[in-house]
Amino acid sequence: MIKIYHNPRCSKSREGLAILKDSGKEFIIVKYLENRLSLAELTKIIELLDIEPIDLVRKNEAFWKENYKDKRISKAHIIKLMLSNPKLMERPIVVNNQKAVIGRPPENILTII
């Protein structure tokens, strides 16, 4: 089943959702700001994306810039930060079975649906 980790206030996330709707495929919307991810879920997403945790961080978020910019932080700490501050996560993220992409640009989603 396809899942989109979605933030309705984000234009790129809304564009990604539109791509999924237009595909005609079934999918689940996970509003990760309302229903926070578990450690296991976020870890699995990072694994499927085949990236380092830091690559999932929105480095232009004020919280990140004010508190963590230019600091060395462990992978585990970065994951904990995203769990407690989900706005830090890039969005949208689309997972389809054992594949995942960050929908930036939203057209990236087409590669896995």
Side-chain angles (χ1 to χ4, degrees):
M1 175 61 72
I2 299 170
K3 281 187 186 179
I4 181 169
Y5 293 86
H6 177 59
N7 176 351
R9 299 185 72 192
C10 172
S11 64
K12 296 297 181 196
S13 196
R14 289 191 306 268
E15 288 177 39
L17 183 59
I19 288 171
L20 286 177
K21 286 179 179 177
D22 290 346
S23 77
K25 299 187 181 205
E26 290 186 29
F27 60 92
I28 297 169
I29 300 171
V30 178
K31 294 182 180 176
Y32 65 93
L33 295 178
E34 296 172 15
N35 302 302
R36 300 228 173 145
L37 303 180
S38 68
L39 174 60
E41 195 171 12
L42 181 55
T43 302
K44 181 66 175 176
I45 289 168
I46 292 167
E47 179 184 304
L48 291 174
L49 288 167
D50 195 26
I51 61 174
E52 295 295 323
I54 190 66
D55 297 327
L56 190 55
V57 173
R58 294 175 52 86
K59 295 165 196 77
N60 285 327
E61 286 290 330
F63 177 78
W64 180 264
K65 291 196 294 191
E66 292 166 8
N67 298 290
Y68 298 100
K69 185 179 178 183
D70 299 326
K71 291 184 180 177
R72 292 195 66 197
I73 305 167
S74 72
K75 293 176 186 180
H77 190 72
I78 291 168
I79 290 171
K80 286 180 184 174
L81 282 170
M82 286 189 283
L83 289 172
S84 59
N85 302 280
K87 278 186 166 184
L88 287 177
M89 289 176 34
E90 285 285 357
R91 58 197 179 246
I93 300 166
V94 175
V95 176
N96 187 2
N97 294 313
Q98 296 301 307
K99 299 176 188 172
V101 293
I102 299 170
R104 289 190 167 270
E107 294 77 23
N108 285 351
I109 296 166
L110 295 170
T111 66
I112 67 164
I113 60 171

